[in-house]
Amino acid sequence: MSWSKLKQQLESFLSPALVGRVEYRATSYRYSSNKSGDCYIAVDKKNVFNMSDTTSSIRWYQTEQEIKSDPEVQIPISNEEIEGVRTNTQGTVPEDRLVVIARSRKITVLAKELLSAQTSLSKSNFVVTANKFLSTSIEDSLESNDILLNVLALVDRRLGKKRILNMAEKIKIKHPIVQYFYELRRSTL
């Protein structure tokens, strides 16, 4: 599918409140056979999401420790997770440390998932992922570990107000770019 047709289809799925604010853009190099160009998403005429640009205002993590020490990352801990730690330690750990241990375990798993998603995103092709989005249900796109699929689903008009408001906890453990587009969409409600 040509870029102009793909762009037209993606923009037809934009939430009405984001039409004119969110744009899909591409650069191409006519005389370079091995360079297909870059695709990116702009918000209010500003390049916000370029898969190959790590200098944007959105935080891109390089190591697991960066994620663990980032105060912006908020990890919700459930009672089941605390109970799991209590069971694993056979009740020998003080109550106040159980939450710390549960959070540490959960953030380690999250950090590995985020780094894996970032790595696959930098190697992925925007056009291929966008075509996948167009042929996948909105639910599958939201549940995916693919950052770009999450972003495309969040700006989609098929995502209703109630679902947006109910996914606040799930978004906290997603990549900062997904959180950015979630807040952008929530601000239009």
Side-chain angles (χ1 to χ4, degrees), residues 12-37:
S12 73
F13 281 108
L14 274 177
S15 167
L18 296 176
V19 172
R21 290 189 67 195
V22 174
E23 298 175 82
Y24 302 103
R25 296 180 177 175
T27 59
S28 62
Y29 302 95
R30 177 181 290 192
Y31 299 109
S32 180
S33 61
N34 63 348
K35 180 86 171 160
S36 61

Short mmCIF file of all heavy atoms in Angstrom, two decimals, residues 12-37:
data_model
loop_
_atom_site.label_atom_id
_atom_site.label_comp_id
_atom_site.label_asym_id
_atom_site.label_seq_id
_atom_site.Cartn_x
_atom_site.Cartn_y
_atom_site.Cartn_z
N SER A 12 -8.26 8.53 8.90
CA SER A 12 -9.72 8.34 8.94
C SER A 12 -10.15 7.71 10.27
O SER A 12 -11.31 7.81 10.66
CB SER A 12 -10.19 7.48 7.77
OG SER A 12 -9.81 6.13 7.95
N PHE A 13 -9.22 7.06 10.96
CA PHE A 13 -9.52 6.44 12.25
C PHE A 13 -9.23 7.36 13.43
O PHE A 13 -9.49 6.99 14.57
CB PHE A 13 -8.73 5.14 12.43
CG PHE A 13 -9.33 3.98 11.70
CD1 PHE A 13 -8.71 3.48 10.57
CD2 PHE A 13 -10.50 3.39 12.13
CE1 PHE A 13 -9.25 2.41 9.89
CE2 PHE A 13 -11.06 2.32 11.46
CZ PHE A 13 -10.43 1.82 10.33
N LEU A 14 -8.69 8.53 13.19
CA LEU A 14 -8.39 9.46 14.29
C LEU A 14 -9.65 9.90 15.01
O LEU A 14 -10.70 10.13 14.40
CB LEU A 14 -7.68 10.70 13.76
CG LEU A 14 -6.17 10.65 13.61
CD1 LEU A 14 -5.66 11.95 13.01
CD2 LEU A 14 -5.49 10.36 14.91
N SER A 15 -9.52 10.07 16.31
CA SER A 15 -10.60 10.62 17.10
C SER A 15 -10.92 12.02 16.59
O SER A 15 -10.01 12.78 16.28
CB SER A 15 -10.15 10.70 18.56
OG SER A 15 -11.03 11.49 19.32
N PRO A 16 -12.21 12.39 16.48
CA PRO A 16 -12.56 13.72 15.97
C PRO A 16 -11.88 14.87 16.71
O PRO A 16 -11.52 15.88 16.11
CB PRO A 16 -14.07 13.79 16.16
CG PRO A 16 -14.51 12.37 16.16
CD PRO A 16 -13.39 11.58 16.77
N ALA A 17 -11.64 14.70 18.00
CA ALA A 17 -11.00 15.76 18.79
C ALA A 17 -9.52 15.91 18.44
O ALA A 17 -8.91 16.94 18.73
CB ALA A 17 -11.15 15.47 20.27
N LEU A 18 -8.93 14.89 17.81
CA LEU A 18 -7.50 14.94 17.49
C LEU A 18 -7.23 15.22 16.01
O LEU A 18 -6.08 15.36 15.62
CB LEU A 18 -6.83 13.62 17.89
CG LEU A 18 -6.82 13.32 19.38
CD1 LEU A 18 -6.23 11.95 19.65
CD2 LEU A 18 -6.07 14.38 20.15
N VAL A 19 -8.28 15.31 15.22
CA VAL A 19 -8.10 15.62 13.80
C VAL A 19 -7.50 17.02 13.68
O VAL A 19 -7.96 17.97 14.29
CB VAL A 19 -9.45 15.54 13.04
CG1 VAL A 19 -9.30 16.05 11.62
CG2 VAL A 19 -9.97 14.12 13.03
N GLY A 20 -6.43 17.13 12.92
CA GLY A 20 -5.72 18.41 12.79
C GLY A 20 -4.62 18.59 13.81
O GLY A 20 -3.69 19.36 13.60
N ARG A 21 -4.71 17.88 14.93
CA ARG A 21 -3.65 17.96 15.95
C ARG A 21 -2.62 16.85 15.77
O ARG A 21 -1.44 17.07 15.94
CB ARG A 21 -4.25 17.85 17.36
CG ARG A 21 -5.06 19.07 17.77
CD ARG A 21 -5.44 19.01 19.21
NE ARG A 21 -4.24 19.13 20.05
CZ ARG A 21 -4.21 18.82 21.34
NH1 ARG A 21 -5.28 18.36 21.94
NH2 ARG A 21 -3.09 18.97 22.03
N VAL A 22 -3.08 15.65 15.46
CA VAL A 22 -2.20 14.50 15.27
C VAL A 22 -2.04 14.26 13.78
O VAL A 22 -3.02 14.17 13.05
CB VAL A 22 -2.76 13.24 15.96
CG1 VAL A 22 -1.91 12.02 15.65
CG2 VAL A 22 -2.86 13.44 17.47
N GLU A 23 -0.79 14.19 13.34
CA GLU A 23 -0.50 13.96 11.92
C GLU A 23 0.50 12.84 11.77
O GLU A 23 1.41 12.70 12.59
CB GLU A 23 0.10 15.22 11.30
CG GLU A 23 -0.79 16.44 11.30
CD GLU A 23 -0.04 17.63 10.76
OE1 GLU A 23 0.04 17.75 9.53
OE2 GLU A 23 0.49 18.41 11.58
N TYR A 24 0.34 12.09 10.71
CA TYR A 24 1.31 11.06 10.35
C TYR A 24 2.15 11.63 9.21
O TYR A 24 1.61 12.08 8.20
CB TYR A 24 0.60 9.78 9.91
CG TYR A 24 -0.33 9.25 10.97
CD1 TYR A 24 -1.71 9.42 10.89
CD2 TYR A 24 0.18 8.59 12.07
CE1 TYR A 24 -2.56 8.94 11.87
CE2 TYR A 24 -0.66 8.12 13.07
CZ TYR A 24 -2.02 8.29 12.96
OH TYR A 24 -2.85 7.81 13.94
N ARG A 25 3.45 11.62 9.39
CA ARG A 25 4.34 12.20 8.39
C ARG A 25 5.41 11.19 7.99
O ARG A 25 5.74 10.29 8.74
CB ARG A 25 5.01 13.45 8.94
CG ARG A 25 4.04 14.57 9.27
CD ARG A 25 4.77 15.76 9.80
NE ARG A 25 3.88 16.87 10.06
CZ ARG A 25 4.27 17.98 10.61
NH1 ARG A 25 5.53 18.16 10.94
NH2 ARG A 25 3.41 18.96 10.82
N ALA A 26 5.97 11.44 6.82
CA ALA A 26 7.04 10.57 6.34
C ALA A 26 8.04 11.37 5.53
O ALA A 26 7.69 12.36 4.89
CB ALA A 26 6.47 9.46 5.47
N THR A 27 9.28 10.94 5.62
CA THR A 27 10.32 11.50 4.76
C THR A 27 10.79 10.36 3.88
O THR A 27 10.82 9.21 4.30
CB THR A 27 11.50 12.04 5.57
OG1 THR A 27 12.04 10.97 6.35
CG2 THR A 27 11.07 13.18 6.47
N SER A 28 11.15 10.67 2.68
CA SER A 28 11.68 9.63 1.81
C SER A 28 12.85 10.18 1.03
O SER A 28 13.00 11.38 0.86
CB SER A 28 10.60 9.13 0.86
OG SER A 28 10.16 10.17 0.03
N TYR A 29 13.66 9.28 0.56
CA TYR A 29 14.86 9.66 -0.15
C TYR A 29 14.79 9.04 -1.55
O TYR A 29 14.96 7.84 -1.71
CB TYR A 29 16.10 9.18 0.61
CG TYR A 29 16.12 9.74 2.02
CD1 TYR A 29 15.61 9.03 3.10
CD2 TYR A 29 16.61 11.02 2.25
CE1 TYR A 29 15.62 9.57 4.37
CE2 TYR A 29 16.61 11.57 3.52
CZ TYR A 29 16.12 10.84 4.57
OH TYR A 29 16.12 11.38 5.83
N ARG A 30 14.50 9.86 -2.51
CA ARG A 30 14.25 9.38 -3.86
C ARG A 30 15.45 8.67 -4.47
O ARG A 30 15.32 7.62 -5.09
CB ARG A 30 13.85 10.56 -4.74
CG ARG A 30 13.64 10.16 -6.19
CD ARG A 30 13.28 11.33 -7.02
NE ARG A 30 11.94 11.75 -6.66
CZ ARG A 30 11.24 12.61 -7.35
NH1 ARG A 30 11.76 13.14 -8.43
NH2 ARG A 30 10.05 12.94 -7.00
N TYR A 31 16.63 9.19 -4.30
CA TYR A 31 17.79 8.65 -5.00
C TYR A 31 18.63 7.70 -4.16
O TYR A 31 19.71 7.31 -4.56
CB TYR A 31 18.66 9.79 -5.53
CG TYR A 31 17.89 10.65 -6.50
CD1 TYR A 31 17.50 11.93 -6.16
CD2 TYR A 31 17.54 10.16 -7.75
CE1 TYR A 31 16.78 12.71 -7.04
CE2 TYR A 31 16.81 10.93 -8.64
CZ TYR A 31 16.44 12.20 -8.28
OH TYR A 31 15.72 12.97 -9.15
N SER A 32 18.16 7.36 -3.02
CA SER A 32 18.90 6.43 -2.17
C SER A 32 18.16 5.10 -2.15
O SER A 32 17.08 4.99 -1.58
CB SER A 32 19.03 7.00 -0.76
OG SER A 32 19.74 6.11 0.05
N SER A 33 18.76 4.09 -2.75
CA SER A 33 18.07 2.81 -2.89
C SER A 33 17.96 2.03 -1.59
O SER A 33 17.04 1.24 -1.41
CB SER A 33 18.79 1.94 -3.92
OG SER A 33 20.12 1.71 -3.48
N ASN A 34 18.86 2.24 -0.66
CA ASN A 34 18.84 1.45 0.58
C ASN A 34 18.18 2.19 1.74
O ASN A 34 18.15 1.68 2.84
CB ASN A 34 20.25 1.03 0.97
CG ASN A 34 21.14 2.22 1.28
OD1 ASN A 34 20.78 3.36 0.99
ND2 ASN A 34 22.30 1.94 1.85
N LYS A 35 17.65 3.37 1.51
CA LYS A 35 17.04 4.15 2.59
C LYS A 35 15.59 4.41 2.23
O LYS A 35 15.28 5.14 1.30
CB LYS A 35 17.79 5.48 2.76
CG LYS A 35 17.25 6.36 3.84
CD LYS A 35 17.84 6.00 5.18
CE LYS A 35 17.43 7.06 6.19
NZ LYS A 35 17.51 6.64 7.51
N SER A 36 14.67 3.80 2.98
CA SER A 36 13.26 3.95 2.66
C SER A 36 12.65 5.20 3.26
O SER A 36 11.55 5.59 2.91
CB SER A 36 12.50 2.73 3.16
OG SER A 36 12.63 2.62 4.55
N GLY A 37 13.33 5.83 4.19
CA GLY A 37 12.81 7.03 4.82
C GLY A 37 12.30 6.75 6.22
O GLY A 37 12.31 5.61 6.67
#
